């Protein structure tokens, strides 16, 4: 083969290798775990199907290790483990993370650098350990009887959940550490249970729903996002069954007379606003969550509609399902239409009654308080509004 052809072939091979290496982006985790000479350190992926060993290494005297793996498309969870000592790690793309610890206290006493997510997860892990110690103290106290024990455990659990909701989950529901917080567990006796109950606790279901909504927005198509969404939906169904009597207390006569299920919720000033009070106007009943990536663009579209048709008798009655009341109040302070909030969030009874499966969802109600169409039935929104004015 001629030299020129050899050079051409070599160039093609090198180019192919370069392209392949660029597409195979990796993340790296390295560090030292001292006092663990000859121990086997496992690097495990905490997949939706359970733990999967990705790699392992037998530690030397200095306890150094170095793992690398293909970068995930969406946030993923891993852990470093020696026996029952665990350090949880969240990975988002091509991070380089450094971990330093000493065995056998590595679960609670470790240093992590290179990832704010991992730092937050460390904070949550330590909070959970402190909670477990409190529960153990209650269970082991001979002066506390059965009823007092249950009440005491519930008290410390509620304090813990309130702290985690306010300072972690509701602040940044799209973060991996918020997802991590949802699946922390607590042991009481021989029973292990999730701290946040997505099956029957209405308030906890709302927390799952808040994170699910954010993950649907920020990580569309991710398996973890889909899983969260399914858990939240199933939890809402369970809560609705439990609260079936409340959910079924619709005044049939009122529905027949007005043609719409009434909604009465407080606005951002605390005043109760009723949907049926808008009779005589064409109303867009809008279910919305401001804590989503697409919210700003959609609010601009609604402003355009409102400015165009309000003077002719068009009104918007917007129901927010946001979990954070303060954030919602700031978001709606400058909006000109009727804006209310359901504190039950994605577990809203009103949303269930209107069969809202996802947000945003809207309905058009005519001047006689008769519900005419929902968004999926409308092809030309301007034309529909004009025809009803």
């Amino acid at each position: 083969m001629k030299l020129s052809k050899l050079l051409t072939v070599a160039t093609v091979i090198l180019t192919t290798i370069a392209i392949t290496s660029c597409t195979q982006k990796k993340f790296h985790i390295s560090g030292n775990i001292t006092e663990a000479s000859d121990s086997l350190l496992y690097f495990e992926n905490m997949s939706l199907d359970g733990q999967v060993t990705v790699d392992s290494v037998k530690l030397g005297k200095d306890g150094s290790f170095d793992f690398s793996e293909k970068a995930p498309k969406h946030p993923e969870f891993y852990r470093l483990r020696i026996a029952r000592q665990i350090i949880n790690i969240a990975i988002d793309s091509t991070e380089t993370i450094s971990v330093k610890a000493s065995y056998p206290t590595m679960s609670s006493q470790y240093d992590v650098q290179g990832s704010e997510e991992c730092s937050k997860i460390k904070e949550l892990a330590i909070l959970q350990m402190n909670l477990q110690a409190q529960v153990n103290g209650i269970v082991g106290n001979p002066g506390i009887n059965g009823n007092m024990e249950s009440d005491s455990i519930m008290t410390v659990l509620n304090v813990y959940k309130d702290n985690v909701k306010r300072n972690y989950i509701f602040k940044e529901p799209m973060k991996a550490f918020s997802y991590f917080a949802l699946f922390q567990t607590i042991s009481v006796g021989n029973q292990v249970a999730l701290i946040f109950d997505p099956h029957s606790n209405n308030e906890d279901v709302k927390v799952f729903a808040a994170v699910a909504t954010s993950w649907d927005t920020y990580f569309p198509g991710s398996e973890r996002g889909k899983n969260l969404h399914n858990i939240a939906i199933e939890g809402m169904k369970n809560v609705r069954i439990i609260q079936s009597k409340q959910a079924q207390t619709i005044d049939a006569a009122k529905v027949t007379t007005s043609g719409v299920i009434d909604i009465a919720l407080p606005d951002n000033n605390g005043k109760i606003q009723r949907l049926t009070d808008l009779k005589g106007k064409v109303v867009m009943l809008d279910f919305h969550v401001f804590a989503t990536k697409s919210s700003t663009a959609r609010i601009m579209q609604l402003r355009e509609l409102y400015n165009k048709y309000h003077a002719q008798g068009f009104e918007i009655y917007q129901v927010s399902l946001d979990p954070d009341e303060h954030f919602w109040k700031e978001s709606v302070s400058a909006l000109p239409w009727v804006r209310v909030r359901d504190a039950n969030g994605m577990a809203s009874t009103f949303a269930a009654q209107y069969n809202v499966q996802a947000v945003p969802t809207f309905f058009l109600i005519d001047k006689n308080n008769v519900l005419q169409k929902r968004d999926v039935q409308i092809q030309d929104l301007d034309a529909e509004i004009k025809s009803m004015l």
Side-chain angles (χ1 to χ4, degrees):
M1 185 180 290
K2 293 182 179 180
L3 179 60
S4 59
K5 288 187 177 180
L6 282 171
L7 290 173
T8 301
V9 171
T11 301
V12 170
I13 292 172
L14 289 173
T15 301
T16 302
I17 292 172
I19 292 173
T20 301
S21 63
C22 286
T23 57
Q24 295 294 314
K25 294 181 179 179
K26 294 187 175 184
F27 66 87
H28 301 270
I29 299 177
S30 61
N32 301 81
I33 298 179
T34 60
E35 307 301 323
S37 180
D38 293 328
S39 296
L40 199 59
L41 174 66
Y42 291 95
F43 179 48
E44 299 170 331
N45 174 214
M46 302 308 294
S47 74
L48 291 175
D49 296 322
Q51 69 186 57
V52 177
T53 299
V54 177
D55 202 350
S56 63
V57 63
K58 188 175 183 179
L59 298 177
K61 289 184 178 180
D62 64 350
S64 63
F65 64 90
D66 191 344
F67 297 121
S68 64
E69 186 64 20
K70 182 180 177 182
K73 293 181 180 179
H74 305 290
E76 192 52 71
F77 298 88
Y78 297 84
R79 70 183 189 182
L80 299 170
R81 180 177 65 84
I82 298 177
R84 299 180 67 179
Q85 288 289 308
I86 292 168
I87 296 175
N88 290 291
I89 301 290
I91 296 295
D92 186 2
S93 190
T94 56
E95 293 164 306
T96 298
I97 298 171
S98 172
V99 177
K100 293 184 178 180
S102 180
Y103 189 79
T105 59
M106 58 185 272
S107 291
S108 58
Q109 300 176 32
Y110 66 92
D111 177 72
V112 59
Q113 300 291 329
S115 170
E116 182 184 358
E117 293 273 22
C118 291
S119 295
K120 292 290 186 180
I121 284 176
K122 177 186 175 182
E123 292 176 15
L124 287 163
I126 292 174
L127 286 173
Q128 189 274 338
M129 290 177 194
N130 292 336
L131 172 65
Q132 184 66 66
Q134 286 181 285
V135 171
N136 292 346
I138 293 169
V139 173
N141 189 335
I144 299 178
N145 61 32
N147 291 333
M148 289 176 60
E149 179 181 294
S150 298
D151 291 343
S152 298
I153 291 174
M154 189 58 63
T155 297
V156 297
L157 274 175
N158 287 336
V159 170
Y160 179 88
K161 290 196 286 188
D162 182 63
N163 175 35
V164 171
K165 284 190 291 186
R166 286 187 295 103
N167 296 311
Y168 294 90
I169 297 175
F170 287 163
K171 274 191 174 181
E172 296 181 285
M174 77 294 294
K175 294 292 189 177
F177 63 76
S178 293
Y179 184 107
F180 175 83
L182 295 180
F183 295 97
Q184 289 186 295
T185 60
I186 193 75
S187 298
V188 181
N190 295 321
Q191 299 296 318
V192 178
L194 289 172
I195 294 172
F196 288 95
D197 172 17
H199 304 297
S200 58
N201 185 302
N202 188 33
E203 292 302 312
D204 291 356
V205 169
K206 286 189 285 185
V207 180
F208 269 80
V211 179
T213 299
S214 289
W215 277 59
D216 282 347
T217 301
Y218 285 87
F219 311 112
S222 72
E223 289 302 313
R224 290 190 180 275
K226 292 177 184 177
N227 183 56
L228 266 186
H229 187 84
N230 291 336
I231 291 172
I233 292 296
E234 189 63 29
M236 290 177 206
K237 290 179 181 177
N238 292 340
V239 169
R240 287 168 192 159
I241 291 172
I242 294 170
Q243 300 176 337
S244 59
K245 290 184 180 181
Q246 178 184 352
Q248 292 171 6
T249 55
I250 304 171
D251 189 338
K254 181 183 290 186
V255 174
T256 303
T257 302
S258 67
V260 68
I261 299 172
D262 197 14
I263 298 176
L265 288 168
D267 62 18
N268 55 317
N269 295 313
K271 181 182 178 181
I272 298 297
Q273 300 281 357
R274 302 190 75 91
L275 176 62
T276 51
D277 286 345
L278 298 176
K279 185 175 182 180
K281 297 182 179 182
V282 173
V283 179
M284 172 186 281
L285 168 59
D286 184 64
F287 289 88
H288 188 79
V289 173
F290 285 87
T292 59
K293 199 172 183 179
S294 59
S295 174
T296 301
R298 186 161 184 279
I299 291 301
M300 291 178 66
Q301 294 172 351
L302 293 183
R303 273 187 175 274
E304 185 177 341
L305 279 175
Y306 187 86
N307 293 338
K308 188 185 296 185
Y309 298 114
H310 179 63
Q312 302 174 48
F314 174 69
E315 187 57 83
I316 298 174
Y317 185 97
Q318 188 169 59
V319 180
S320 166
L321 304 179
D322 285 88
D324 189 327
E325 182 179 12
H326 178 71
F327 174 78
W328 165 71
K329 284 184 175 180
E330 289 187 341
S331 300
V332 303
S333 59
L335 299 182
W337 51 77
V338 180
R339 57 273 188 195
V340 298
R341 173 177 171 270
D342 192 329
N344 289 320
M346 296 301 291
S348 165
T349 298
F350 295 120
Q353 290 171 344
Y354 276 91
N355 195 27
V356 174
Q357 300 296 321
V359 288
T361 293
F362 71 85
F363 304 80
L364 286 183
I365 300 167
D366 67 20
K367 295 180 179 181
N368 296 314
N369 261 349
V370 176
L371 191 151
Q372 293 295 335
K373 292 183 178 181
R374 67 184 299 157
D375 50 5
V376 293
Q377 299 171 307
I378 299 172
Q379 294 184 349
D380 188 332
L381 182 56
D382 280 82
E384 291 288 350
I385 293 174
K386 288 178 183 178
S387 70
M388 295 169 63
L389 287 170

